[in-house]
Amino acid sequence: RGPTDDQRLKPEVVAPGTNIVSLCSTIEGSSELWGRFNDDYCFSGGTSMSTPLVAGAAAVTRQYLMEVKGMENPSASLIKGLLMNTATDMFPGQFGFLDAGQEFVVPAPNNDEGYGRVDMQNVVDDDRYLALIDNARGVTDGEEVVHEINVAGARAVKVTLVYTDAPGSPSAAKALVNDLDLTVTDGERTLTLEDRKNNHEQIQMTEFSGDTLLVKVAAQSLPVTKDGAVPYSLVVTKEQ
C-alpha cells in the first residue's frame, strides 16, 4: 500500500490475490503452492497472482479498443485510463463500516486500493462511454486543449486524465517531471484538479446543467518533452 516516498498515489488499481487458480509446475517434487485444484492447476496468491490478473486485463482492454472501438494502436495511457476509470471502489473495505474504524478510511482514490478493483465487465460496457480520446499530438507548454463532451441523459460523469510521463531522476525529491492539469465545466460550475505529484487526475461531476461539458487539459509545466508536447488520454464515462 502507498504512498511512495514522494507521496504519489500507489497502487492505481488492484486485483484479487487470494486463492487464485494458476498453473502447477510439471517438474517432479515442485511446490504445489497453496494446494492443488486438479492435476494441472494449483491455488496461489499475493502479488504474484494479482499482478498478472491486471496484466491480462490490460491485454483484453487493448483488444477491446482495437476490435470494438476501431483504434489501430491505442496508447498505454488510454489502456491505463480505462482500467482506472471503470474500476470498482471497494470502500469501506471487506469488513464494512466499523465503529472502531473500517479497512479503508476514505473512498477511492486512496493508497489502499488506488482507484479501485479492476472490473472488466465495466471496461467492455459500450453504453458507459461518452468519450475515449487518445491525443497523440498532446499539449505544449502553456497550452490548453478543450474537448466538448455531449452528456445528454447522464446523471453523473467521471473524467479520467492519464499521460505517460518522462522518466524522473532517481535522486529527485519528486518523481513527476511533466505536469498536466484537468478542468471540467458545465458553463456554470467548474471543477479543477492541480495534482503536482501524479501523472493522472480524475474528476467526477453530478448535477450539471445543460447537455455539454467542457473538458480542458492544460500544461502546467513541461520541462522534458518529445517534439515539445506531451500526449495524453481522456476517458469520460456516465451514469444513467
Side-chain angles (χ1 to χ4, degrees), residues 65 71 74-82 132-134 233-235:
L65 288 170
M71 297 183 175
S75 69
S77 60
L78 183 61
I79 295 168
K80 183 175 179 178
L82 259 72
L132 294 173
I133 298 169
D134 214 5
S233 299
L234 281 172
V235 179

Side-chain angles (χ1 to χ4, degrees), residues 115-136:
Y115 286 85
R117 173 177 50 80
V118 170
D119 192 328
M120 289 307 299
Q121 183 171 334
N122 288 344
V123 169
V124 299
D125 180 6
D126 273 349
D127 293 337
R128 73 187 309 113
Y129 294 109
L130 294 173
L132 294 173
I133 298 169
D134 214 5
N135 191 335

Side-chain angles (χ1 to χ4, degrees), residues 10 19 32 43 62 70 74 87 101 110 114 150 153 157 183 194 198 212 215 236:
K10 291 294 175 183
N19 288 329
E32 295 186 353
F43 291 104
R62 187 173 192 273
N110 57 57
N150 186 339
V157 297
T183 299
E194 297 179 346
N198 297 288
T212 301
V215 177
V236 185

Side-chain angles (χ1 to χ4, degrees), residues 26-43:
T26 58
I27 298 175
E28 186 176 353
S30 61
S31 170
E32 295 186 353
L33 303 175
W34 289 12
R36 283 196 174 271
F37 174 75
N38 57 26
D39 290 341
D40 298 315
Y41 294 94
C42 292
F43 291 104

